[in-house]
Amino acid sequence: VRRIAHHRGRAADVGRRDLGQDQRQGIDADELAHLKGQRRHEQHHGDAVDERGQERRDKGKQQEQLQFMETFETKSKLDLNLRMEQGTNIPTMILYDDFFNGVRSQEKRQNKIIAQIGRQLDAKRAELATAMAKRRIMEILKERDLQALGTAQRKRDTAQMDEIGANQWRRKSS
């Protein structure tokens, strides 16, 4: 009512001036687009977490395979030592040597794969940290938008109440 008196009893002008572009009812198109963008961002965050988990599982499988190869090589060496004590011929020794060279080659390949997966895992970890930071920023922006919407709604409500009060005052004074 004070604002109505300040504006010389023109309640309709007060509402229009105070509300500006915010006097529309319903959901703003920009607000809707912002919320859709936030949902896409949250989905991206979930995908990054899933991909990181997949990388960890792949790394674990590769490490298990490497461990199996190392265990198999150790058992084969023990078998070779046992055969050497019994007296082994040259072709068998060459066969064992070729086998051990192949196992070492596979171990090197496996170590390269594990190192590559480790690098990918680090990249996914960094991507996840970035996604988490962006998500937090989006949450803060969402809170600010909600506060702004609440402020605008209170402003509209106040203007409407002022207009109702001015109309009632006019009726009583007439």
Side-chain angles (χ1 to χ4, degrees):
V1 176
R2 273 186 246 136
R3 278 191 277 166
I4 293 171
H6 176 71
H7 292 285
R8 297 184 188 113
R10 293 178 288 160
D13 289 342
V14 172
R16 214 175 308 125
R17 208 175 295 127
D18 286 348
L19 295 177
Q21 294 294 331
D22 292 335
Q23 59 187 343
R24 294 172 291 190
Q25 298 294 325
I27 296 176
D28 188 14
D30 292 335
E31 178 184 340
L32 184 61
H34 174 71
L35 291 174
K36 285 181 180 178
Q38 182 178 358
R39 282 191 207 115
R40 278 193 304 272
H41 178 73
E42 288 173 357
Q43 178 62 38
H44 176 69
H45 172 72
D47 292 345
V49 171
D50 291 344
E51 289 174 7
R52 185 169 180 240
Q54 182 62 39
E55 294 288 332
R56 279 186 170 172
R57 285 188 293 277
D58 289 346
K59 185 176 181 180
K61 287 178 185 177
Q62 296 297 331
Q63 287 175 332
E64 287 175 10
Q65 187 174 354
L66 179 63
Q67 183 65 34
F68 171 76
M69 289 169 41
E70 289 173 349
T71 303
F72 190 70
E73 181 183 19
T74 303
K75 288 180 182 178
S76 297
K77 283 182 182 180
L78 292 174
D79 186 42
L80 175 64
N81 287 336
L82 186 67
R83 286 183 183 248
M84 288 185 71
E85 288 176 5
Q86 296 173 355
T88 306
N89 58 15
I90 299 295
T92 305
M93 296 293 285
I94 292 172
L95 185 63
Y96 270 103
D97 186 51
D98 289 343
F99 170 75
F100 288 128
N101 286 336
V103 168
R104 282 189 214 103
S105 173
Q106 286 181 344
E107 284 178 355
K108 286 179 185 177
R109 187 175 131 293
Q110 200 67 26
N111 283 328
K112 287 179 184 178
I113 291 170
I114 290 172
Q116 180 183 9
I117 290 173
R119 287 189 298 273
Q120 290 172 347
L121 188 59
D122 291 341
K124 294 294 179 187
R125 188 178 298 125
E127 184 180 337
L128 179 61
T130 302
M132 289 173 65
K134 287 180 180 179
R135 181 178 182 188
R136 180 64 186 138
I137 290 169
M138 292 299 291
E139 288 173 359
I140 291 170
L141 291 174
K142 182 180 174 183
E143 288 174 12
R144 286 182 186 168
D145 287 348
L146 287 174
Q147 287 176 350
L149 286 172
T151 302
Q153 182 63 40
R154 284 190 297 277
K155 207 174 199 184
R156 283 191 295 268
D157 292 345
T158 302
Q160 288 174 354
M161 293 303 287
D162 287 349
E163 190 171 339
I164 290 169
N167 289 337
Q168 287 177 353
W169 181 74
R170 282 185 195 150
R171 284 184 205 147
K172 286 181 182 179
S173 62
S174 307

